[in-house]
């Protein structure tokens, strides 16, 4: 559906209909299309941590994907077989994904931050037949190889280590390969959850997921990206935020992506964005908060960012203002799950962005709020976010865990486990996860709104709110705060922070305890690991 002709939320939701073809393949919809239409078009700019640079066209991308697809087939990898990959942002990530889709296998992207224990669990859980891994990480596989009975082939990118050298495999393989014919419903990838509520679960997705993402990718990037558009994210391409919010949908539209395997640093990020002329960026909340600490970036670096999309946690009002005033860029928040994504969000080109609210349900999404009895609630009443089955971004199920798959459904609804309220205009405000909710003295307190109020203070760079036991109230609110550069922690500052929350929210929501911290534990997807913070609190 062409969304460029619409001028309002009402128009696009009134007319919208899903148009998902019955036969669909991610490689066919990306590299095959553009290699045929415009083979010399740039698909990827990439640089590593020591400044080496590569530029890859759609023709070169297709040829290497064909070579790797033929090499995998020769190794015995076939339709439905799982192939894992552990790589930083580099061309080999895209090549590997496309090769897997071309032969009808299933991609299992894994973060390069995973240690041997997590890798062993996931590789055995999905019974991966092969893995493509960077030479700098291969020792983690060598350590556990004897306990991976299904893993037959280790393909090593960029150097030593025991395994099959990437360069040699591709050099011996043909660049001619026809992409297999797949149904839109055929499995394409398994995305493992970060494991914050138990062992990682494999979220199995079909090829149609990319067709479903095209709409919302257009909307949260404000529809109009022309020929100069260049997309970038510092998020790991193993995560949905890197792979599906940027890399694959950008290629579906024939637009280039910038990748860098250098360690994230906000000042360096702005220099990179300016040097390459990045116009559209996806920034996870942690990266967005870090970059928002850099003063006058447009003046200092000459950045030309037009749109920033962000998802995973609420975007604070102060960060929205920073994007508009300091960068001259729109900031569009969106909300969703690995299991079914882009449910609620913003497109400032079509409807107003309201500070403190995630936005409106995206076209094609039937979203509601339910109470604990499973009944719909009205405006201003807290409820759990649910979405009706049938969304094309919806997962096929948890890999070989039918009981876990059943648990996420409530009749025709997919449960998110997240709490929100909706106002009279239909905007949703995130309150927190069900298991993050703080119950104190009979009150129910969502940590997200307290964190947002904390971030409104210039002294606060980052914040997390958790419960801590209290003999009288059961629990009270505790805030962990990372201060902005140059701010000195003190009891007077704590008191000022507490008074600010009382005035801005309510007396019962203020943090009775405040700890100043240097850093936060993060999940592999870049979110603050609140489960770990709560665990540490119970050990105090």
């Amino acid at each position: 559906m062409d969304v460029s002709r619409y001028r309002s939320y009402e128009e696009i939701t009134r007319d919208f209909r899903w148009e998902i073809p019955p036969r669909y393949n991610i490689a066919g919809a990306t590299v095959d299309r553009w290699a045929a239409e415009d083979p010399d078009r740039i698909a990827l700019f990439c640089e590593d941590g020591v400044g080496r640079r590569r530029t890859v066209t759609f023709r070169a991308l297709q040829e290497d994907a064909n070579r790797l697809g033929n090499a995998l087939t020769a190794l015995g990898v076939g339709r439905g077989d799982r192939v894992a990959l552990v790589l930083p942002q580099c061309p080999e990530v895209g090549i590997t994904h496309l090769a897997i889709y071309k032969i009808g296998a299933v991609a299992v992207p894994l973060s390069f931050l995973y240690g041997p224990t997590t890798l062993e669990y996931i590789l055995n859980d999905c019974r991966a037949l092969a893995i493509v891994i960077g030479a700098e990480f291969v020792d983690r596989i060598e350590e556990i190889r004897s306990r991976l009975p299904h893993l037959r082939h280790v393909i090593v990118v960029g150097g030593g280590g025991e395994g099959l050298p990437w360069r040699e495999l591709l050099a011996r393989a043909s660049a001619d390969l026809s992409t297999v014919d797949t149904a839109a419903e055929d499995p394409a990838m398994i995305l493992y959850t970060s494991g914050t509520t138990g062992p990682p679960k494999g979220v199995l997705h079909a090829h149609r997921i990319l067709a479903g993402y095209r709409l919302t990718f257009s909307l949260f990037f404000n529809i109009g990206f022309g020929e100069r558009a260049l997309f970038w994210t510092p998020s790991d391409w193993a995560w949905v935020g890197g792979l599906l919010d940027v890399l694959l949908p950008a290629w579906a539209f024939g637009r280039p992506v910038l990748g860098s395997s250098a360690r994230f640093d906000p000042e360096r990020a702005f220099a990179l964005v300016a040097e390459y002329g990045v116009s559209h960026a996806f920034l996870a909340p942690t990266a967005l908060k870090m970059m928002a600490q850099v003063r006058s970036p447009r003046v200092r670096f000459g950045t030309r960012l037009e749109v920033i999309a962000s998802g995973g946690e609420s975007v604070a009002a102060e960060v929205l203002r920073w994007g508009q005033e300091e960068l001259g860029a729109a900031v569009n928040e969106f909300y969703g799950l690995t299991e079914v994504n882009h449910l609620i969000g913003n497109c400032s080109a079509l409807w107003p962005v309201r500070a403190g609210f995630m936005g409106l349900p995206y076209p094609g999404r039937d979203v509601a709020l339910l109470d604990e009895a499973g009944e719909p609630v009205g405006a201003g009443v807290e409820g759990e976010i649910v979405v009706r089955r049938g969304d094309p971004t919806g997962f096929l199920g948890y890999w070989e865990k039918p009981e876990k798959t059943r648990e996420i459904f409530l009749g025709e609804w997919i449960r998110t486990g997240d709490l929100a309220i909706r106002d009279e205009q239909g905007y949703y405000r995130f309150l927190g996860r069900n298991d993050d909710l703080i119950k104190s003295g009979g009150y129910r307190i969502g940590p997200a709104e307290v964190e947002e109020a904390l971030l409104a203070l210039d002294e606060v760079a980052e914040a997390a709110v958790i419960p801590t036991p209290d003999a009288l109230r059961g629990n009270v609110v505790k805030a962990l705060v990372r201060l902005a550069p140059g701010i000195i922690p003190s009891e007077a500052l704590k008191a000022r922070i507490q008074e600010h929350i009382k005035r801005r929210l309510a007396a019962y929501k203020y943090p009775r305890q405040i700890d100043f911290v240097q850093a936060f534990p993060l999940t592999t997807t870049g979110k603050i690991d609140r489960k770990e913070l709560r665990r540490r609190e119970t050990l105090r």
Side-chain angles (χ1 to χ4, degrees):
M1 180 179 182
D2 179 15
V3 298
S4 61
R5 63 189 177 92
Y6 291 98
R7 296 292 177 267
S8 71
Y9 181 80
E10 290 72 25
E11 281 187 19
I12 193 171
T13 52
R14 180 195 64 214
D15 294 349
F16 182 78
R17 300 291 183 275
W18 284 114
E19 298 170 355
I20 308 298
R23 312 300 297 180
Y24 190 86
N25 183 284
I26 291 173
T30 53
V31 67
D32 287 351
R33 174 188 172 184
W34 292 102
E37 291 187 20
D38 192 355
D40 295 324
R41 181 185 287 243
I42 302 299
L44 186 66
F45 300 97
C46 219
E47 65 171 51
D48 61 19
V50 295
R52 289 179 299 224
R53 302 182 177 193
R54 287 188 277 177
T55 300
V56 184
T57 65
F58 277 103
R59 188 208 313 264
L61 194 62
Q62 183 191 50
E63 289 177 351
D64 278 351
N66 287 348
R67 289 190 178 95
L68 181 59
N70 284 321
L72 290 171
T73 301
L75 293 172
V77 178
R79 291 187 79 146
D81 289 332
R82 278 74 61 202
V83 179
L85 56 159
V86 180
L87 294 163
Q89 290 189 3
C90 61
E92 289 80 7
V93 174
I95 293 164
T96 302
H97 271 278
L98 296 168
I100 292 167
Y101 305 139
K102 277 178 161 288
I103 64 174
V106 177
V108 186
L110 302 175
S111 175
F112 59 84
L113 298 175
Y114 286 156
T117 301
T118 301
L119 289 172
E120 180 181 348
Y121 173 84
I122 292 175
L123 293 172
N124 278 326
D125 184 65
C126 71
R127 300 189 303 282
L129 189 65
I131 187 170
V132 178
I133 187 167
E136 62 269 45
F137 314 120
V138 75
D139 59 327
R140 303 175 196 175
I141 297 299
E142 293 171 355
E143 180 180 334
I144 59 176
R145 184 72 187 270
S146 63
R147 300 193 295 276
L148 300 172
H150 305 284
L151 187 69
R152 296 184 198 165
H153 309 291
V154 177
I155 300 170
V156 183
V157 175
E162 293 188 13
L164 302 169
W166 167 278
R167 288 183 181 274
E168 291 183 19
L169 274 182
L170 266 64
R172 295 198 300 263
S174 169
D176 293 323
L177 176 65
S178 296
T179 298
V180 299
D181 179 40
T182 53
E185 290 292 324
D186 284 346
M189 64 183 72
I190 303 175
L191 303 174
Y192 274 82
T193 64
S194 57
T196 55
T197 56
K201 296 188 292 291
V203 180
L204 181 63
H205 275 290
H207 281 271
R208 59 169 158 75
I209 188 173
L210 182 59
Y213 268 64
R214 283 178 60 100
L215 165 75
T216 39
F217 180 83
S218 294
L219 292 175
F220 61 63
F221 279 125
N222 274 358
I223 301 171
F225 32 87
E227 288 302 310
R228 92 157 195 91
L230 174 61
F231 292 84
W232 167 75
T233 179
S235 295
D236 190 343
W237 288 351
W239 176 45
V240 62
L243 180 67
L244 283 165
D245 290 337
V246 173
L247 187 66
L248 292 178
W251 284 352
F253 282 96
R255 297 299 188 268
V257 175
L258 170 64
S260 172
S261 60
R263 183 181 177 86
F264 178 76
D265 172 83
E267 298 255 347
R268 172 63 185 139
F270 274 119
L272 192 72
V273 164
E275 181 180 354
Y276 283 90
V278 171
S279 57
H280 296 71
F282 170 79
L283 297 173
T286 300
L288 188 56
K289 292 170 192 171
M290 292 173 70
M291 292 183 74
Q293 298 299 306
V294 178
R295 298 302 175 192
S296 306
R298 190 164 35 159
V299 174
R300 290 177 56 200
F301 299 98
T303 56
R304 294 184 293 162
L305 277 168
E306 297 172 11
V307 186
I308 296 171
S310 186
E313 294 180 9
S314 293
V315 176
E318 303 307 310
V319 175
L320 286 176
R321 280 196 289 273
W322 167 82
Q324 294 161 0
E325 297 171 6
E326 294 284 349
L327 292 178
V331 179
N332 286 328
E333 178 180 351
F334 62 85
Y335 163 84
L337 308 176
T338 303
E339 291 83 350
V340 54
N341 211 350
H342 301 172
L343 305 179
I344 299 165
N346 288 297
C347 172
S348 61
L350 292 185
W351 60 89
V353 174
R354 296 179 55 193
F357 289 84
M358 297 186 293
L360 298 167
Y362 279 125
R365 271 70 185 193
D366 188 358
V367 179
L369 294 177
L370 303 183
D371 63 17
E372 292 179 347
E375 296 297 322
V377 301
V381 180
E382 175 190 292
E384 181 182 356
I385 304 169
V386 296
V387 60
R388 198 175 297 278
R389 294 179 191 239
D391 192 294
T393 72
F395 72 146
L396 295 170
Y398 292 118
W399 172 256
E400 296 189 339
K401 290 180 173 57
E403 71 291 348
K404 290 293 184 184
T405 302
R406 286 192 292 270
E407 287 175 8
I408 201 172
F409 290 104
L410 181 64
E412 288 301 305
W413 299 107
I414 299 176
R415 305 183 63 170
T416 68
D418 291 326
L419 300 174
I421 57 172
R422 184 182 60 246
D423 71 4
E424 295 288 351
Q425 287 73 47
Y427 282 77
Y428 282 72
R429 182 184 183 90
F430 184 77
L431 296 179
R433 286 201 57 78
N434 236 330
D435 48 10
D436 284 341
L437 197 71
I438 301 170
K439 299 176 182 178
S440 178
Y443 293 104
R444 292 158 58 89
I445 304 166
E449 63 173 337
V450 182
E451 291 169 0
E452 182 181 344
L454 289 166
L455 290 169
L457 292 165
D458 290 339
E459 296 92 339
V460 176
E462 203 168 9
V465 169
I466 59 171
T468 190
D470 179 79
L472 178 62
R473 297 174 179 83
N475 288 291
V476 294
V477 176
K478 179 173 183 175
L480 298 114
V481 173
R482 182 173 68 83
L483 294 173
I487 303 300
I488 307 299
S490 68
E491 291 303 314
L493 178 57
K494 286 184 181 181
R496 192 157 66 252
I497 290 172
Q498 290 171 325
E499 192 59 34
H500 165 77
I501 301 298
K502 288 179 184 178
R503 289 196 312 270
R504 181 159 175 153
L505 298 179
Y508 69 89
K509 295 182 180 181
Y510 86 94
R512 294 176 183 271
Q513 294 186 28
I514 298 176
D515 282 358
F516 296 117
V517 300
Q518 295 298 313
F520 287 100
L522 301 178
T523 68
T524 56
T525 57
K527 301 177 187 177
I528 294 175
D529 191 340
R530 288 172 178 79
K531 180 183 177 183
E532 174 61 16
L533 292 176
R534 293 194 302 271
R535 186 191 70 81
R536 293 178 185 179
E537 191 65 19
T538 62
L539 298 177
R540 289 171 64 93

